[in-house]
Each structure stands twice: as C-alpha cells, then as structure tokens.
Amino acid sequence: MINEETLKQPMTKEISRELPDSLNGDLRSKLMRWETLLMVFVAIAFFTNTQLSPYFLDPWSLSDATFNFTEKAIIALPMALLIIARDIDLSVASTIALASVAMGFANSMGAGPIELAMIGMAVGAVAGFVNGWIITKFDIPAIVVTIGTMSLYRGIAYIVLGDDVYRSYPSDFAFFGQGYVWGVLSFEFVLFLCLAVVFGILLHKTTFGRRVYAIGNNPTAALFSGINVKRHRLFLFTLVGLFAGVAAVLLTSRIGSTRPSIAMGWELEVITMVVLGGVNIMGGAGSIVGVFIAVFLMGLVTFGMGLMNVPGIVMSIFTGLLLILVIGTPIIWRRILSARKLRSQKQG
C-alpha cells in the first residue's frame, strides 16, 4: 500500500524531469547534439574501414557487414522501450538459445519453415511473458529476475541438447537469415529497417509511447494518472521476448545449426547499442533515432575489428569498456558540474 508520504517523495524528487518524446527546446538540442556526435563517429568508423580493406566499399561487402549487427539490432529496438520504462532484460541471449533449441527439436519432428519460424517467435514471446509476469506479479526487480531466467533458459537448452547439434534445417528455412529481397539488400536488413520505422512511430507518435516515457520518469505518478503500469511492463517484456524469438529465427537460419551456446554474450551488446544510442539507463529518456545510429556504429566498429582479425574476446572487452564509458561519463560529468555550481555558490 502506498501512503501519502511515499507518494510525495518521488514526485518532489522527479517531477521536474522532462518528457523527452516532445523534443522541444533545450532537450531537442541535447538530443540532436548526441545524435550528431554519433553520426561523426559513424563517419570515422566508415572511413577507417575503407582504409583497412580496399574491398569494403563493394556493395556485397557492405551487405555482409550488416549481418554483424542486424539480429542484435532487432532486439535493441524493443529493449530501448523497456529501458526507457525503467526495466531491463538480461535474458535475451538465453531466450534466443531456448527458441533455437525448440526450433531444432521441431525440425527433427518434421516441421516446415513457416512452422519453425512461428515456434521460434512463440517460445521467445512466452519466455518474455514469464519474465514480465514474475516481475509484475511479485514486484521483484527486473535485473534479479532476468539474471535468474538467463541461467534458467540457457540451462534448459543445455539439458535438452547437451553437446549435440541440431542441423539439417529445410533449404527454404535459410531464406530468413541468408535470403536477399532485392539486389544486395538482405531480408534481415530490410526487416530491421521496417521495424525501426514501426518502433519509432510507436515510441514517438503514439499514446503508448508517451505512457512508456511517463512510466520511466515516475512510475508512481504514472499509476495515479490512470496508466496501468503493470500491464504496460508485462507487454514490454513480452515484446522483447518476441523479438528475441525473431532474432533466434534469423540467426538459426543464417548459421544453419543450433547449439546451446548460440548467441552467448549478446545481451551485453544489445544493451550497449541501446545505451550508446542515448537511452538513459535509469529510464525516462531516449529515442529510436539514437539507437538506430548506434546500431550502425557498433556494426561498423565490430566489422572493422573483424577486418583486423581481432579475436572475439577482445571485441567483448571493447564492448564492456564502451558500455561502462557510455553509462559512467554522463554521471561523472553531472557530478563535476554540480560540484562547480556548489563551489561558485559558496564563493558568491
């Protein structure tokens, strides 16, 4: 039960936070500066890759570069909404493994390509729903629950498959992860572009998006303004799980096999894409445009590392350092500004 004193405290502390979806005044300038900075880094990464390989500008090389980030980027879109709403899902990579194992098992039972895709998405959605139901039903922090289900879902995949590998997927199933829609444009990449537009409209142009921002800024105030906070959170977790299932379909189709270790460590890269795109890890701020640009930046950087034959573990170290830097820099900068302001007030 929320008493009057509890209600007053978060509201007096957070009511001054602006809703970032309106993009008015100084807020718009800040957002555009961040996105402009990201675009500068994208240009630098693009130029660097052209110097690393004379074949980088070949249309097919650029097309191959998109496979490095498309599946992760598809998860990053709903993850951005979830983080804006002050939640997080660390189980997305394990959800991919669980969905992929389910598809492999169904394939061994004779399921066709469409049935496999539906099974993968359904398993992902159910996994996301389970996360959301536990979190909203028992009021347990999302980070605690999803760390638990991260081990649970991956553990189930290992129990079912062990050291074995599911192979021999139908040839038609390969289209989802290897097919091309037009010329060098892969099905994966076109799907990501379409989803980015859909999520951009959903977050910035609909009542649902405004409610996501409201929940992220102040869940208590959102609740008392008539928003069903638990239902929205449950929907967002289910949405993230659904698109983790979509990513499982694409990834399994692209590599043509299933192992329990599939997509290991992807949750870190997905969250890095979201936070690098300007989404506040504490909730209440961010945009799909920023995430969209960050996705390309991460993709170009990892592709460039691949051109230099950088080991995967080094890429993981870079991703972790980047995540710490992106989260920590604004916090440290605000503290420095606050300290300067306090000193100037004392001197005045």
Side-chain angles (χ1 to χ4, degrees), residues 102-122:
M103 285 187 290
F105 180 78
N107 178 60
S108 66
M109 297 292 104
I114 301 300
E115 289 84 357
L116 293 177
M118 296 296 292
I119 289 170
M121 291 187 290

Side-chain angles (χ1 to χ4, degrees), residues 138-202:
F138 301 102
D139 199 23
I140 304 174
I143 192 170
V144 175
V145 173
T146 56
I147 284 177
T149 54
M150 176 174 65
S151 299
L152 174 64
Y153 297 157
R154 182 78 67 177
I156 293 173
Y158 272 103
I159 289 173
V160 172
L161 197 53
D163 294 328
D164 292 334
V165 180
Y166 282 130
R167 296 190 181 91
S168 303
Y169 283 95
S171 57
D172 293 343
F173 183 65
F175 172 79
F176 295 116
Q178 303 176 30
Y180 291 85
V181 175
W182 181 75
V184 297
L185 293 177
S186 66
F187 172 77
E188 282 195 6
F189 187 62
V190 171
L191 178 61
F192 165 64
L193 295 178
C194 294
L195 289 173
V197 172
V198 171
F199 275 92
I201 294 172
L202 179 65

Side-chain angles (χ1 to χ4, degrees), residues 240-260:
V240 171
L242 171 64
F243 282 95
V246 172
V249 173
L250 299 175
L251 179 60
T252 304
S253 170
R254 179 162 63 87
I255 63 179
S257 63
T258 294
R259 296 178 184 272

Side-chain angles (χ1 to χ4, degrees), residues 66-133:
T66 64
F67 287 108
N68 286 326
F69 62 83
T70 307
E71 294 127 357
K72 301 165 193 170
I74 286 174
I75 306 174
L77 295 173
M79 183 70 81
L81 272 65
L82 187 65
I83 294 178
I84 289 173
R86 283 198 189 185
D87 279 310
I88 197 167
D89 187 348
L90 298 177
S91 68
V92 287
S94 298
T95 299
I96 291 175
L98 184 62
S100 184
V101 167
M103 285 187 290
F105 180 78
N107 178 60
S108 66
M109 297 292 104
I114 301 300
E115 289 84 357
L116 293 177
M118 296 296 292
I119 289 170
M121 291 187 290
V123 171
V126 170
F129 178 85
V130 169
N131 286 339
W133 183 81

